[in-house]
Amino acid sequence: MGDIALDRRAFLTGVGGLAAGAAAASLTGCETRTGRSAAESSRVLVVRNFGGSYGEANRKAVYDPFTRETGIRITVVDFGHEQMLAQIKEGRPRFDVMDIDMSNLVLFEHEGASEPLDYGRLKNTRNAGIAQSLLTPNGVGKSYWASVLAYRTDAFGRRKPESWADFWSLRRFPGSRALQGEVDWPELEFALLADGVPLDRLYPLDVDRAFKVMDEVRGSVRTFWEYGAEPGELLSRGSVMATSTWAGRLQSLLGRGAPLAYEWNGARRQSNGFGIPKGSANPDAAYRLIDFALRPEVQAHMARLYPDGPVVPAAYGYLTESTAVHLASTPGHLLSGFDLDIDWWLENRDAVTRRWQEWTRT
């Protein structure tokens, strides 16, 4: 989840810079299309993901088993958002499958940079219970992650914050706070939840109301975090008593006995997904990989290795309760949180992000 931030920061500032991206892409290359024969292309599939522990989990849970079953080898590249768009617009994408967040997949659709999906070729999406919002024309969801409220368990006596209203209650839960900076969408939804807006009435966001509520806590916000591990570090040092965080990033600290906890109530869910770039050299193998990755048992294997929740509900039949409790898409967590409205944020991105940046600097 921390790696998602690398592309998201560029995404939030707009598409822009395509010429620079194209130049960088020409210097970065892994395998180029001109260097792959048709026969080789049919046996090698180039997947773009953001690497790190996420990439390694995909290798073990998805790519290696897929290769053993099909004989198709997987090569992984990690092109940035602008590089990807530049390559596609040149008609020479150096990747066959995109593994990126759903916000980017919708943007790529708007840019005409991805292929419409033929869901008839994705049999594991049929009657699988995948949320309709993740079955978009040019992208299909593959995993859930979430932003949640985290806190020190030794900070508030016997009390523990159980909602964003508690996070905003400086009288009952005194101490410094942290909120997310420019690494992802501004956390306006949390302010509205703290002010009593129901989960199912968040959108369209009342931006003026949200910033008014944000003002109430601004004096106690010590910092705005900019990378996935930072909230856990801030809490562990005692620099803040409560913060927003990406849920999976606290697991290693909790495993070492750190006095930390997090709360799923009011969690903001987002998703990663698959798409096929316009001009992909190997769409047949791309469809095979995407369909393979949506098998319930494969989804479960991935969730054991990386703390993102499956999009296929049947995957939970392969997971233990001790694993499922940490995932954003367990049934209970689905009820207590909400899905970020991608369309609303895309429509309002520029104006709200500018206002957010000004607010954080006051």
Side-chain angles (χ1 to χ4, degrees):
M1 283 163 287
D3 302 295
I4 294 170
L6 300 176
D7 272 355
R8 179 58 63 78
R9 183 179 282 108
F11 175 71
L12 289 174
T13 57
V15 177
L18 293 181
S26 67
L27 297 174
T28 310
C30 289
E31 296 180 76
T32 66
R33 286 290 175 254
T34 57
R36 288 170 61 191
S37 67
E40 182 185 6
S41 179
S42 67
R43 306 311 298 170
V44 177
L45 186 69
V46 183
V47 179
R48 184 276 175 194
N49 72 39
F50 45 80
S53 57
Y54 178 82
E56 182 60 23
N58 272 284
R59 172 67 61 189
K60 293 177 179 178
V62 184
Y63 305 156
D64 287 348
F66 176 77
T67 297
R68 287 194 295 269
E69 179 173 303
T70 66
I72 300 171
R73 293 185 293 111
I74 304 294
T75 295
V76 176
V77 295
D78 184 12
F79 294 123
H81 174 256
E82 290 183 354
Q83 289 177 303
M84 296 166 68
L85 275 174
Q87 292 177 20
I88 294 168
K89 288 179 181 293
E90 287 184 335
R92 298 174 57 248
R94 298 171 189 171
F95 50 96
D96 302 305
V97 182
M98 302 180 285
D99 179 345
I100 55 179
D101 70 80
M102 291 297 292
S103 298
N104 272 318
L105 285 173
V106 174
L107 179 62
F108 273 48
E109 177 187 338
H110 292 175
E111 290 285 319
S114 57
E115 298 284 355
L117 291 179
D118 178 358
Y119 279 94
R121 303 176 70 177
L122 297 174
K123 62 178 175 27
N124 287 310
T125 65
R126 298 173 200 162
N127 302 313
I130 299 174
Q132 195 62 39
S133 61
L134 301 184
L135 301 172
T136 71
N138 292 41
V140 58
K142 69 184 293 281
S143 60
Y144 283 105
W145 54 282
S147 299
V148 298
L149 187 166
Y151 58 95
R152 287 190 63 94
T153 56
D154 58 2
F156 310 115
R158 295 183 179 180
R159 297 191 303 274
K160 61 179 182 178
E162 297 179 333
S163 67
W164 291 107
D166 288 342
F167 182 95
W168 252 257
S169 179
L170 299 171
R171 181 182 59 81
R172 294 186 63 234
F173 299 94
S176 296
R177 306 292 202 255
L179 287 169
Q180 182 181 269
E182 297 180 21
V183 70
D184 199 359
W185 304 111
E187 296 174 328
L188 302 188
E189 294 94 338
F190 298 155
L192 293 172
L193 290 174
D195 203 39
V197 177
L199 288 170
D200 60 353
R201 297 185 182 178
L202 280 171
Y203 297 100
L205 298 183
D206 185 333
V207 175
D208 290 337
R209 178 178 178 180
F211 276 101
K212 183 178 179 180
V213 178
M214 298 290 293
D215 287 340
E216 297 173 7
V217 78
R218 179 65 180 91
S220 294
V221 177
R222 177 166 181 169
T223 189
F224 295 93
W225 55 271
E226 295 292 354
Y227 57 92
E230 190 175 5
E233 295 168 0
L234 292 167
L235 289 169
S236 295
R237 293 196 303 264
S239 300
V240 301
M241 299 299 105
T243 180
S244 59
T245 188
W246 294 326
R249 296 309 297 259
L250 292 187
Q251 294 307 318
S252 61
L253 294 171
L254 293 172
R256 295 198 295 269
L260 311 178
Y262 59 92
E263 172 58 54
W264 284 102
N265 184 23
R268 184 173 75 173
R269 286 187 300 274
Q270 298 188 62
S271 304
N272 289 345
F274 286 120
I276 300 175
K278 185 76 72 175
S280 169
N282 201 353
D284 291 339
Y287 273 105
R288 293 181 70 181
L289 176 69
I290 295 170
D291 203 41
F292 181 90
L294 294 175
R295 292 179 184 176
E297 65 273 20
V298 176
Q299 288 255 298
H301 192 182
M302 181 66 188
R304 293 187 203 101
L305 299 177
Y306 192 84
D308 278 3
V311 300
V312 178
Y316 280 96
Y318 297 87
L319 294 171
T320 64
E321 184 176 350
S322 60
T323 297
V325 72
H326 299 297
L327 303 176
S329 56
T330 62
H333 298 160
L334 287 175
L335 291 174
S336 63
F338 64 95
D339 292 314
L340 180 139
D341 188 322
I342 293 173
D343 290 333
W344 188 92
W345 274 108
L346 284 177
E347 182 178 349
N348 296 277
R349 173 185 60 185
D350 294 340
V352 175
T353 300
R354 282 195 299 270
R355 186 170 175 180
W356 170 260
Q357 290 169 340
E358 292 171 1
W359 184 85
T360 61
R361 292 163 188 163
T362 58

